[in-house]
Amino acid sequence: MRIDAKGKKISIVGALVFSAVVLCLTLWWSFGSGNADATRLYQTQLLGRGVVERSVTASGAVKALVTVDVGSQVSGPITEMKVDFNSKVKQGDLIAVIDRAPFDAKVQAASANLAIARADVSRREAAMAKLQKQLGLLDRNVGRYSALASAAGVSRQQLDQAQTESGATRHELSAAQADLESAKATVALRQAECDQAQINFDRTLIKSPINGVVIDRRMQRGQTVTAEYQTPVLFQIAQDLSQIQILAQVDEADVGAIRVGDEVKFTVETFPVETFYGVVEQIRLAATKTSGVVTYTVVVRAQNPDMRLFPDMTATVRIVTARRENVLNTPNEALRFHPSAAVSDDAAPRAGQTRLWVLDATNSLKSRSVRLGVKGDAATEILDGDLKPGDAAILRATVAATPEK
């Protein structure tokens, strides 16, 4: 019998169609034989041991541990700028100068007023010394006149006059003493004015209060500083950027799970594939309300030895609130799986346990009772139950096309 090329082509096509039909029937029987859920395909994952982590995600700004705003307490034009952005400074370093001439003049004026007040004190002390000598002479005269008056050596009128002069001089001496005390008080006042003028003069030299780095400079040479109502900020200095903190804003629903000392993993946009590590240092009690959303500030402390993290970078943090290592676990998706009502299983979970569905060796659905531990972000710890590593936990089911009969 002669078979041409066209007949060969028809035979090959027929063979391929027959193979496809056999494959579909095989798949249908493998999932449908003896199973009421015959038209479903199941995606599974083999159970194993690993790490289970539960975490809270938030975002916040990178900050230096200590940031100081350096301002001026006196007003005037800036005559010198000694530092710029990123300048390293030490405590006491001169970083800016306010025009000193007006304050120097005030110091000189206050010093002159102080000298005048001191001279007035000296003059009044001399006047008191003179009155004291006069009073001593008058008191001696009163004593002599008293002795002579008893012997009729002087008249009674002379004795009365001597006593009157002595009393008047004593009153003058008391007034002079009061004037001297007033003059001394004036000296103290002038001294305070002189000290204040000197303090303001010294404040024209702006110095760094800490060791650190200048991260912001807000004024230029020649600008006038006005410090009448509030202290204007000239510089912002960050101390020791080898250590940083992140002020993460955590939702009120999650903050209760966080504890001081929890491990923190975070990333920044400039290094999206690199993970940095820190630790929770503080949970602040003051709440922040924004559009009805309540958040709390969680302070995360981290090392920055190579200075790659800059102040005010936005960090996405993941605070690890629970962690279990080398434990049997199941994907969280497997806990959410429920078969169709057509699948019956009389094995009800025991008290305190959860039902988990698996595919057994015959590709049949079976439920297993397990007791769960820490529920992590992606997987949940299995403390004990009817499961072991290698069991195929069902994640989800998809409807398979029913083969045509």
Side-chain angles (χ1 to χ4, degrees), residues 94-367:
L94 182 64
I95 56 179
V97 179
I98 306 295
D99 185 13
R100 311 193 79 194
F103 299 94
D104 187 24
K106 290 181 180 179
V107 170
Q108 294 180 16
S111 298
N113 290 334
L114 177 60
I116 293 172
R118 285 174 174 171
D120 187 47
V121 169
S122 298
R123 182 178 62 81
R124 293 183 183 280
E125 287 176 341
M128 275 195 61
K130 181 179 179 181
L131 288 174
Q132 286 173 342
K133 289 181 178 181
Q134 289 178 352
L135 180 61
L137 177 61
L138 292 173
D139 287 343
R140 288 193 295 273
N141 289 338
V142 170
R144 286 194 298 268
Y145 287 167
S146 296
L148 292 175
S150 59
V154 295
S155 66
R156 183 65 186 178
Q157 182 180 3
Q158 289 177 314
L159 176 61
D160 291 342
Q161 185 176 358
Q163 290 176 338
T164 301
E165 290 178 352
S166 175
T169 303
R170 184 170 279 103
H171 288 306
E172 290 179 7
L173 182 61
S174 298
Q177 179 68 39
D179 290 341
L180 178 61
E181 295 300 326
S182 176
K184 289 181 177 180
T186 301
V187 168
L189 176 62
R190 300 303 180 214
Q191 180 66 60
E193 292 174 349
C194 186
D195 292 343
Q196 183 62 52
Q198 184 63 48
I199 289 172
N200 289 336
F201 180 67
D202 293 338
R203 284 174 175 170
T204 59
L205 301 178
I206 310 300
K207 299 181 179 181
S208 174
I210 60 172
N211 299 332
V213 178
V214 177
I215 61 175
D216 192 9
R217 189 199 70 197
R218 301 184 181 178
M219 301 196 77
Q220 302 284 349
R221 178 183 177 184
Q223 284 186 262
T224 299
V225 177
T226 304
E228 294 181 0
Y229 303 106
Q230 62 181 3
T231 302
V233 177
L234 306 182
F235 303 94
Q236 194 173 61
I237 299 178
Q239 182 184 46
D240 188 15
L241 285 177
S242 64
Q243 299 185 67
I244 55 95
Q245 63 181 359
I246 301 171
L247 306 181
Q249 300 301 315
V250 179
D251 189 88
E252 61 176 326
D254 300 323
V255 73
I258 300 174
R259 298 290 181 269
V260 173
D262 283 349
E263 179 187 359
V264 178
K265 303 176 183 180
F266 65 94
T267 60
V268 292
E269 292 185 4
T270 190
F271 305 115
V273 297
E274 186 170 356
T275 300
F276 300 88
Y277 297 89
V279 65
V280 174
E281 185 178 62
Q282 184 184 55
I283 305 170
R284 295 181 179 173
L285 301 180
T288 301
K289 297 182 180 179
T290 305
S291 301
V293 178
V294 178
T295 59
Y296 292 85
T297 301
V298 175
V299 181
V300 176
R301 186 164 182 167
Q303 300 296 319
N304 185 31
D306 49 5
M307 308 295 182
R308 299 170 68 196
L309 301 175
F310 299 162
D312 292 324
M313 280 185 172
T314 300
T316 301
V317 303
R318 190 167 71 89
I319 304 171
V320 180
T321 59
R323 179 184 175 88
R324 299 290 186 270
E325 296 184 0
N326 194 29
V327 295
L328 182 63
N329 62 85
T330 177
N332 290 339
E333 190 174 358
L335 299 175
R336 296 191 292 268
F337 173 76
H338 297 285
S340 64
V343 178
S344 61
D345 194 335
D346 297 332
R350 294 185 286 271
Q353 294 191 339
T354 302
R355 175 179 291 181
L356 191 68
W357 292 87
V358 300
L359 280 182
D360 63 10
T362 63
N363 286 329
S364 298
L365 272 71
K366 298 295 181 183
S367 67

Side-chain angles (χ1 to χ4, degrees), residues 46-93:
L46 299 182
L47 301 182
R49 293 187 173 275
V51 177
V52 174
E53 280 188 351
R54 182 176 64 217
S55 63
V56 172
T57 302
S59 63
V62 174
K63 298 289 185 182
L65 293 183
V66 177
T67 302
V68 178
D69 291 334
V70 182
S72 173
Q73 294 177 280
V74 296
S75 301
I78 300 174
T79 57
E80 295 182 64
M81 275 287 186
K82 299 290 187 179
V83 296
D84 203 347
F85 293 97
N86 300 340
S87 297
K88 293 184 178 180
V89 295
K90 294 182 179 180
Q91 184 176 358
D93 283 355

